[in-house]
Amino acid sequence: MTARIAIPIGDPAGIGPEVTLRALADPQILTGVEPVLVGCRQLLEAQAAALRQRGIAVPHLDRIELIDHPLGGRVRPGSGDAASGAASFAWLGLAVKEVLAGHCDAITTAPIAKQCWHAAGHHYPGQTERLAELAGRAEASMLFTAVAPSGWRLNVLLATTHIPLRAVPDALSAELVCHKLNLLRDFCNWFTPAPSLAVAGLNPHAGERGQLGVEERDWLIPCMEAWQARNPSLRLQGPFPPDTCWLGAGRAWRRGEGGADGYLALYHDQGLIPVKLLAFDRAVNTSLGLPFVRTSPDHGTGFDIAGQGRASGASMVAALLTAVSLAARHCPSRSSTAGKRCEPHGDSGGSKAVNELGLPSGPVGRA
């Protein structure tokens, strides 16, 4: 399958433009992705020229569709600021317009810097929350997926995302966990019939029957038992002690078997530490609960190596290939879904009309 993927290039002071260009030169991407870049042509041309001087293969931009939105100020590699934040914020919005209008099948976002968005006056915890707002959704969920060298697929969904650790217990509830388990079940069903799911506990030793915390005893275990009763064909395990929950995933990553099909982590680092240890260059962040497919690399802006030609495009390649795969499952009736509305990516309800969001119904200008 070939898919049209909108690609906002991320913070221009970071490695987003570089990893995007590197990924688009990968043979797998050349045959499977019809890219629609969203960013500044002048910046991308300068990046491409610099990479070629280092002997790094990158595509010629005159062969790639590009929505040109010039930078509003001077940006230096490695020095993100309000200008770079304003640019990446605008590029994300333009990319969402493309996919909501049906001009693209999915969106793959390059990394942004939250502090630069904040400096530009855009106070969002991250791209996921802004995407939910643009799509007219109350929230979107973060799931990380990666295919191991063994062929086994790791799927980790976060119950809570970009909040302080001290706020996690109050943010969790039986209703939230059941909702996340539904999302995880539906995602894993795309790859595995009757998937097995595992839940990590909140406290050390998963509370040890109330001795080290009462959340598991008081509401998490009853919640899981009720969810299992409603889903008898699936196997739900846990809550596991957080320090041993991931042992099966580690074995499956190496051997191809023995892990659960999906894992629910209760807070950000509980899920991201094992994901990045096992699959740093392979893991892909995908947003569930949106009316379109969105993926992104699992790394950040890399300001410390920006402009040096050292960034790896591997995770961006994985993000683009995952977008193609998920787009095919999201709307399987045609090889390219551009121009056709499909069912929402997740179970948060139907999508709102484009005009309800104040977005243009026609194509935006291209360079």
Side-chain angles (χ1 to χ4, degrees):
M1 170 184 171
T2 298
R4 282 173 58 84
I5 310 295
I7 310 171
I9 63 173
D11 194 296
I15 62 174
E18 178 182 345
V19 299
T20 299
L21 290 169
R22 281 176 174 262
L24 294 183
D26 187 279
Q28 300 175 89
I29 302 304
L30 291 172
T31 58
V33 175
E34 186 180 340
V36 179
L37 292 177
V38 184
C40 174
R41 175 177 286 278
Q42 183 177 8
L43 170 79
L44 284 166
E45 287 179 340
Q47 283 264 337
L51 290 170
R52 289 191 195 100
Q53 286 182 348
R54 296 175 182 270
I56 298 168
V58 294
H60 290 280
L61 292 175
D62 57 1
R63 301 174 187 171
I64 297 174
E65 190 170 354
L66 169 64
I67 300 173
D68 185 19
H69 187 278
L71 287 167
R74 184 179 178 84
V75 171
R76 290 189 305 143
S79 300
D81 56 15
S84 69
S88 64
F89 186 84
W91 297 336
L92 180 67
L94 289 172
V96 171
K97 288 182 182 181
E98 286 294 290
V99 73
L100 283 176
H103 303 144
C104 290
D105 301 302
I107 179 172
T108 295
T109 59
I112 62 96
K114 301 173 187 66
Q115 71 270 23
C116 297
W117 274 20
H118 297 168
H122 305 300
H123 296 283
Y124 294 84
Q127 295 190 90
T128 303
E129 292 79 9
R130 174 59 173 161
L131 287 163
E133 180 182 73
L134 288 169
R137 297 296 170 85
E139 57 110 25
S141 298
M142 294 175 64
L143 181 140
F144 292 82
T145 185
V147 178
S150 65
W152 178 76
R153 179 178 286 274
L154 171 69
N155 298 307
V156 178
L157 179 65
L158 306 184
T160 61
T161 55
H162 299 121
I163 61 174
L165 186 58
R166 67 172 58 190
V168 168
D170 291 337
L172 291 169
S173 67
E175 294 75 16
L176 177 67
V177 167
C178 285
H179 169 62
K180 300 293 183 178
L181 286 171
N182 289 339
L183 287 174
L184 184 59
R185 172 201 63 201
D186 293 348
F187 183 86
C188 292
N189 267 331
W190 280 357
F191 304 96
T192 307
S196 62
L197 307 181
V199 178
L202 177 65
N203 296 294
H205 299 190
E208 202 164 300
R209 300 186 179 183
Q211 299 304 305
L212 298 174
V214 299
E215 287 84 0
E216 289 85 357
R217 182 195 66 191
D218 289 356
W219 65 265
L220 181 56
I221 292 173
C223 159
M224 292 175 59
E225 290 173 344
W227 191 90
Q228 177 72 86
R230 293 192 298 271
N231 295 269
S233 64
L234 279 66
R235 184 184 182 194
L236 180 64
Q237 301 172 276
F240 291 111
D243 58 346
T244 59
C245 179
W246 311 100
L247 295 178
R251 287 192 294 268
W253 188 264
R254 298 188 302 272
R255 303 174 189 171
E257 58 184 8
D261 298 305
Y263 290 85
L264 180 63
L266 298 186
Y267 57 92
H268 185 277
D269 286 9
Q270 186 185 71
L272 267 293
I273 289 172
V275 165
K276 293 191 176 184
L277 279 173
L278 291 173
F280 185 75
D281 284 336
R282 294 173 179 262
V284 173
N285 174 16
T286 183
S287 299
L288 305 186
L290 299 175
F292 50 82
V293 169
R294 178 264 179 147
T295 65
S296 71
D298 74 341
H299 59 70
T301 52
F303 285 142
D304 58 326
I305 59 171
Q308 301 174 30
R310 295 168 51 198
S312 169
S315 189
M316 192 65 171
V317 169
L320 288 165
L321 294 176
T322 301
V324 173
S325 174
L326 294 181
R329 291 170 168 84
H330 192 236
C331 190
S333 60
R334 56 187 291 182
S335 60
S336 177
T337 63
K340 178 174 179 177
R341 281 291 192 159
C342 299
E343 291 303 308
H345 188 46
D347 70 352
S348 313
S351 60
K352 293 189 175 182
V354 172
N355 286 340
E356 279 188 74
L357 299 174
L359 301 177
S361 56
V364 300
R366 289 175 173 79

